Amino acid sequence: MYGIYIDRESKRSVTHQVCQQLRRLIESGQLAAGTRLLPTRVLAKEWGIARNVVIEVYEQLTAEGYLEGRVGSGTYVASGIVPSPRPRNEPSVSEQPIDKVTSTEHSHLIDFAAGIPDQKMFPRHIWAKYLKQAAEASVNANHDYGHIKGDKTLRSAICDYVFRSKGIQCSSDQIVIVSGASEGLLLLAKSLASRFHSIYIEDPTIDITRDIFQMMNYRLVPVEVDHSGMRIDSLASFAPGHLVLLTPSHQFPSGSVLSIQRRHQVIRMLEEADSFVIEDDYDSEFRLRGIPVPPLQTLSPSRVIYVGTFSKTLTPSLRIGFMIVPPDLTDAITKMKDKLNIHTPAVIQQALSRFILDGHLERHIHKMKNVYKKRRNVLTERLHHLFGADISIVGDDAGMHLQVIFGPQAYALLPWNDTASYGFRVEPSSNYSISPSCPPSSTGIVLGYGNLSTEEIEEGLSRLYSFASPCKDSS
């Protein structure tokens, strides 16, 4: 209520924190003279504090002249307080936290970052064993850069893994190891630049992929996303010299799945234009309801360049990804990788190959699916409890993030990029839009839950609700 945030671990008392924030609300004019404050019992329940504390706050501010009690009526903001002028460009009290808490004062900022897996549950002891074995084996090995496509054992292990888990049939010669999916996309942009100058890209989409192709001088052609993925039906055909970039199994940030009708339409249009689609399959392993969605690659191996990563299934710090390249493009991409002298550390590749071959990757994925499913359920239930009909949660039950779309426009206008002083951080959906006019799907926020415990999720949503509560009160 009133946008009051209580830092439970601050050295300042709760009474001091609430008094200070209410003073600023009154001094700024956001609580105008004559405004009737809510009863102490209601605020105590809303803020999760003792009623005596709220009574003490009211008495303190009454003594200071900010409030006045009216017998039988309640407590009101006193008259005669001239609102303090704000310097130009300084946000109003509702646009910034009332009682700002610096990062040094706040013991724990809860970051709803999307795409970050649980770092605490990474099997570090098992990984350390394989890493040690690979390092020791390398002592007597030939210390060259290794094959430009990557370690042959790892490529073979990935080949078997993607067949078991995704139904992808390919040879190890089609697999190219890269230092993360970002490097893979950069390599593709460079390798294909002689044939292609533009790219159809989802709008909204992750800023990394957008920026990579833009920096490589590709013209971006944004295509709106709806509940069935990229709106392929809005295009009559693919123009010559255009690539396509899709996240068909779990679009980011909307969470939508590209429908089978649109998948077939993409393949048909690619064949007509003699073009290729880059399939960014960043987290399809974590489908939390039903069975995994088959990759687009399985429909047309000759037209789809598949990009996978271990940053989501294991940890971003590995910096290992891979591409499954159509045979017609393998030589061009391999030669460009060799020309740029791009290699992935051999020891890490060898450790990862044994990790996969001994079954640890799939065991870890199976375990984490249950963990993420529980966290998603906690997140969705708590969101509905706090915001009710004011929000809708969109996207497939998959991955490590969800998107919240707001009903009342007032929520979307809040400064979601500046919430750290409330003890949490989120990304507004509009951050991922390409077109100047944001589609309806951009009037919300993206909440990642991969690296947060259920306790952190609940506390983070409490802080989020406190930040947004002025809109809730006025809706």
Side-chain angles (χ1 to χ4, degrees), residues 10-74:
S10 173
K11 295 179 180 179
R12 290 170 290 179
S13 69
V14 173
T15 302
H16 177 91
Q17 293 182 52
V18 177
C19 279
Q20 184 183 30
Q21 294 180 59
L22 280 176
R23 283 192 203 99
R24 292 182 185 175
L25 284 169
I26 296 169
E27 290 171 351
S28 69
Q30 290 186 270
L31 284 179
T35 301
R36 182 178 183 273
L37 299 187
L38 291 170
T40 57
R41 191 184 305 278
V42 174
L43 288 180
K45 182 178 180 181
E46 183 65 31
W47 291 337
I49 60 178
R51 186 186 177 198
N52 286 342
V53 175
V54 185
I55 293 173
E56 185 181 359
V57 169
Y58 277 18
E59 290 177 345
Q60 175 66 30
L61 294 183
T62 299
E64 294 178 16
Y66 286 92
L67 302 177
E68 60 183 16
R70 300 178 188 175
V71 179
S73 179

Side-chain angles (χ1 to χ4, degrees), residues 425-443:
R425 181 180 290 127
V426 299
E427 284 274 9
S429 307
S430 58
N431 282 7
Y432 301 106
S433 295
I434 300 174
S435 304
S437 56
C438 297
S441 61
S442 295
T443 59

Side-chain angles (χ1 to χ4, degrees), residues 159-179:
C159 190
D160 293 340
Y161 164 70
V162 295
F163 176 70
R164 290 194 305 271
S165 62
K166 304 171 188 288
I168 294 177
Q169 298 186 51
C170 65
S171 72
S172 60
D173 288 337
Q174 291 177 252
I175 294 179
V176 178
I177 305 298
V178 287
S179 295

Side-chain angles (χ1 to χ4, degrees), residues 206-280:
I206 185 69
D207 51 356
I208 298 172
T209 55
R210 174 190 69 202
D211 294 344
I212 284 173
F213 282 91
Q214 202 161 33
M215 287 187 292
M216 294 300 296
N217 297 317
Y218 281 72
R219 185 174 70 89
L220 302 185
V221 183
V223 183
E224 186 180 343
V225 169
D226 64 15
H227 63 280
S228 296
M230 180 189 275
R231 289 206 54 205
I232 305 297
D233 53 329
S234 67
L235 302 171
S237 62
F238 292 148
H242 285 56
L243 291 168
V244 186
L245 178 59
L246 290 172
T247 52
S249 296
H250 190 223
Q251 201 277 333
F252 187 90
S254 72
S256 60
V257 175
L258 191 68
S259 66
I260 187 62
Q261 293 83 359
R262 292 183 184 178
R263 290 174 183 238
H264 284 302
Q265 189 176 4
V266 168
I267 300 304
R268 176 179 58 78
M269 292 165 68
L270 287 171
E271 291 172 348
E272 291 172 353
D274 190 21
S275 186
F276 299 91
V277 60
I278 300 169
E279 177 176 13
D280 183 2

